[in-house]
Amino acid sequence: MNILVCVKQVPEAQAQVHIDDDGRWVTLGAGTEFRMNRFDECAVEAAVQIKEKVADTHIHILTIGPQRAETVIRRSVGMGADDGTHMVTSDDGFVDPDTLATWIAARPQAQSADLILCGAMSEDLMQGQVGPLLAAKLDLPSATSVIDIAFKPEAKSIQVDRELEGGYRQTQVLKLPALVTIQTGINQPRYPALSKLLSANRLSLEVLHTDQEEQPDTLLVMDKLMPPRKMRDAVFLEGATQDKAEQLITILSDRSLLS
Amino acid sequence: MSQPDELQTIMVIAELFNGAVRPTTYELLGFAQKLQQQRPARIQILVLGEDIESVALALAQSTGEDVLGINAPRLSQYNGQVYQVVLHDVLNELPPDVICAAHSSQGWDFGPGLAARLKAACITGVNRVSAKDDKICFSRDIYGGKVSADIISTSKTTLVTVQPGSFRWSPGSHQEPGTVNIISLPVEPQASRTLSTHRHQASDLDLTQAKVIVSAGRGIGDQENLDLVHQLAAAIPQAVVCGSRPIIDNGWLSYDRQVGVTGATVSPDLYLACGISGAAQHVSGMQGAALVVSINTDPMAAIFNQSDICIVEDLTAFIPTLLAKLSEAGKIK
């Protein structure tokens, strides 16, 4: 079975995010650390767990991003994936999710995959679009927010549980080939073994450049970025830790929340 | 987008769960009303499911808007493939200027794929609309809520998924119910079948009734620090401990204590957010709180925009200090 896992490198949640002067995009603070998107890490783990059960399973990793993003492929290989493709972008700018899905859909590893796994969303942009768009472009059945996955080889299908609101789940059967997007909580991603990480670092990856790919008409324009609106008063308590604690007790007492 | 003087059409895709209309449907109508304020538009509601007549009639009655009901036999439970095929067949004929669906487990499942099939732009998790010159800007949060992005669609048709809790519908003064059209479109899902919709685990905890919620986020760091959150909750009358998704995923709190889009929507008198970053997925679940107090080491944390009282502190220092002060003040027996 061929599995393709699409992964993305994202900045740490604590990263300083500065809006550029023209308001079109952001610059991250110096020294920002990057790592694999947590949803994608769960997708890689889900793929590796299938590989451990199903003989002759091959896991290919694909990422689109600047040069530094290749570390997420190597980490995935360290977790148990086999090889990877890095589609290198020239910068960190916004790319329309429809364009990303177009680029991935053109890859032979996507067209020949029995199963494509993506994270349910990226932690930085939170669009949740590339997975379902890719499924539509490849005309694959798909399921999002998957929290449980079981391979049914005799039926050439997978059975998945999707996470719904309010503690509900929905069980679906998808005929392979299929695409699912993975919700966090489905598993606890393993740490790459040191020995595997060392060989992953020596592995030669397929490297492509996105400026040589098809450039479809963009459907979205990022017009202006701004700090989010304050939805409440956002009064910052001042002073030493003790002073803030006292102020908070007064505020809560005045509202009879402590009695 | 049509020219500014043309009447736009906005198609609201109603959200059903177990055959009943979910409240998100009315939020979508609130979103459509906001769009209408920017530019004249005709709103139509589309509702899709099995034996849909009574639901369609009730929606037309309660909203005054025109309703298109699509009877799809055996679609008693949501199925993404059927939604995409049926909605494509119906909407491709029209096509509306704006299609809106809830940013929920249904909307984010069928929305992007439907947009791709319609060759429409897709913008997910929209929480505000505004006009700029003759264009409509759809706003959504990025970078965990630290930045708000205005996005313009360059496509004739735009599919939008609307962040829950962001818009409110004003019923207005309609006298007459809207018209109801029912069509039947039998579609058999080929490659995807929904087997069941079920409660994952039973729970007696009803967070919607909680008076005080002390909530832990990824920023608490280590699991041991959750003890501090429990101690703080124990010091405040009627307080319940909850968490954002990462805490639940780690297994540090049970799933029924999750606040947010995939958890509970709460409206306590006090919401005390400890180490919560404030991503939209979480904020949607706690916007109804009367008073929000947040503790976070990051002064730029998005949660502070959603807070009445902001405390930039490390909670491993702040909570013990607060507990000591509460004890001194005789607030803890």
Side-chain angles (χ1 to χ4, degrees), chain A residues 124-127 129 144-145 162-163 165 169 171 173 175 184 221 223-224 226 231-232 234-235 246, chain B residues 105 108-109 122 124 132 140 143 148 150 152 191 193 195-196 198 245 249 289 305 307-308 310 325:
Chain A
D124 53 358
L125 300 187
M126 303 183 291
Q127 298 181 106
Q129 288 208 44
T144 53
S145 307
R162 296 186 59 228
E163 187 183 59
E165 289 75 14
R169 289 185 177 189
T171 305
V173 175
K175 270 191 195 154
T184 58
V221 174
D223 184 61
K224 191 159 183 52
M226 63 200 84
M231 304 306 285
R232 290 175 185 256
V235 175
E246 281 172 3
Chain B
S105 64
W108 68 56
D109 191 63
C122 181
T124 50
K132 182 186 179 184
R140 63 183 306 278
Y143 289 101
S148 172
D150 280 359
I152 291 174
R193 273 184 310 129
L195 299 187
S196 69
H198 51 272
R245 179 154 200 119
D249 285 345
N305 295 312
S307 303
D308 300 285
C310 310
K325 291 280 174 192

Side-chain angles (χ1 to χ4, degrees), chain A residues 22-36:
Chain A
D22 65 0
R24 288 304 179 111
W25 199 232
V26 297
T27 302
L28 299 169
T32 294
E33 291 193 18
F34 294 87
R35 57 171 169 74
M36 198 185 328

Side-chain angles (χ1 to χ4, degrees), chain B residues 242-322:
Chain B
C242 294
S244 61
R245 179 154 200 119
I247 301 296
I248 313 301
D249 285 345
N250 284 344
W252 296 355
L253 288 173
S254 57
Y255 85 96
D256 55 353
R257 292 180 184 267
Q258 185 187 330
V259 171
V261 169
T262 49
T265 300
V266 299
S267 49
D269 297 336
L270 169 64
Y271 193 85
L272 192 46
C274 303
I276 286 182
S277 65
Q281 301 292 335
H282 181 75
V283 167
S284 285
M286 47 72 77
Q287 279 165 331
L291 180 73
V292 178
V293 177
S294 296
I295 309 165
N296 202 301
T297 50
D298 178 1
M300 302 303 289
I303 191 69
F304 289 143
N305 295 312
Q306 305 286 342
S307 303
D308 300 285
I309 306 295
C310 310
I311 302 169
V312 181
E313 283 280 341
D314 184 335
L315 51 88
T316 58
F318 185 75
I319 293 178
T321 307
L322 181 62

Side-chain angles (χ1 to χ4, degrees), chain B residues 166-243:
Chain B
S166 302
F167 296 90
R168 196 165 289 168
W169 175 60
S170 325
S173 54
H174 71 272
Q175 304 291 319
E176 298 285 319
T179 63
V180 176
N181 265 307
I182 304 286
I183 56 174
S184 283
L185 271 181
V187 169
E188 287 292 325
Q190 298 296 320
S192 148
R193 273 184 310 129
T194 303
L195 299 187
S196 69
T197 305
H198 51 272
R199 224 177 221 300
H200 177 50
Q201 282 168 292
S203 170
D204 295 331
L205 187 66
D206 184 5
L207 293 182
T208 60
Q209 301 303 313
K211 291 283 177 214
V212 176
I213 288 178
V214 183
S215 196
R218 199 196 299 279
I220 69 164
D222 298 329
Q223 187 173 8
E224 299 87 77
N225 296 333
L226 196 59
D227 285 346
L228 290 172
V229 175
H230 281 294
Q231 285 175 41
L232 181 56
I236 303 174
Q238 303 185 65
V240 181
V241 174
C242 294

Side-chain angles (χ1 to χ4, degrees), chain B residues 5-232:
Chain B
D5 52 343
E6 282 178 39
L7 192 67
Q8 300 242 318
T9 53
I10 305 171
M11 187 65 85
V12 169
I13 313 289
E15 186 169 50
L16 299 185
F17 185 73
N18 283 340
V21 174
R22 286 197 76 210
T24 44
T25 304
Y26 296 95
E27 297 182 6
L28 294 176
L29 287 168
F31 166 81
Q33 284 175 333
K34 279 275 183 219
L35 264 178
Q36 248 179 345
Q37 290 168 14
Q38 312 294 343
R39 190 175 295 178
R42 170 174 177 252
I43 298 173
Q44 196 175 7
I45 302 173
L46 191 157
V47 60
L48 168 61
E50 194 176 48
D51 300 328
I52 209 65
E53 289 89 346
S54 57
V55 174
L57 285 167
L59 268 173
Q61 187 82 43
S62 66
T63 65
E65 305 291 356
D66 297 342
V67 178
L68 175 59
I70 304 173
N71 251 330
R74 298 179 41 194
L75 189 63
S76 58
Q77 304 173 66
Y78 171 81
N79 177 284
Q81 198 187 16
V82 174
Y83 260 63
Q84 289 184 46
V85 170
V86 171
L87 291 176
H88 170 265
D89 288 352
V90 173
L91 297 174
N92 203 34
E93 295 295 310
L94 302 172
D97 296 277
V98 178
I99 302 163
C100 56
H103 191 60
S104 66
S105 64
Q106 293 185 20
W108 68 56
D109 191 63
F110 74 79
L114 173 62
R117 286 173 165 84
L118 292 168
K119 307 217 181 314
C122 181
I123 308 174
T124 50
V126 168
N127 56 22
R128 203 159 56 84
V129 283
S130 55
K132 182 186 179 184
D133 307 326
D134 62 338
K135 302 265 194 328
I136 300 289
C137 294
F138 298 97
S139 308
R140 63 183 306 278
D141 284 355
I142 56 175
Y143 289 101
K146 287 182 177 177
V147 177
S148 172
D150 280 359
I151 298 171
I152 291 174
S153 163
T154 54
S155 177
K156 186 190 173 317
T157 300
T158 305
L159 188 147
V160 169
T161 66
V162 175
Q163 190 68 36
S166 302
F167 296 90
R168 196 165 289 168
W169 175 60
S170 325
S173 54
H174 71 272
Q175 304 291 319
E176 298 285 319
T179 63
V180 176
N181 265 307
I182 304 286
I183 56 174
S184 283
L185 271 181
V187 169
E188 287 292 325
Q190 298 296 320
S192 148
R193 273 184 310 129
T194 303
L195 299 187
S196 69
T197 305
H198 51 272
R199 224 177 221 300
H200 177 50
Q201 282 168 292
S203 170
D204 295 331
L205 187 66
D206 184 5
L207 293 182
T208 60
Q209 301 303 313
K211 291 283 177 214
V212 176
I213 288 178
V214 183
S215 196
R218 199 196 299 279
I220 69 164
D222 298 329
Q223 187 173 8
E224 299 87 77
N225 296 333
L226 196 59
D227 285 346
L228 290 172
V229 175
H230 281 294
Q231 285 175 41
L232 181 56

Side-chain angles (χ1 to χ4, degrees), chain A residues 78-106:
Chain A
M79 289 170 70
D82 294 286
D83 50 21
T85 300
H86 183 187
M87 303 187 78
V88 184
T89 55
S90 52
D91 60 29
D92 246 342
F94 175 73
V95 182
D96 184 341
D98 186 74
T99 300
L100 296 172
T102 301
W103 290 340
I104 301 170

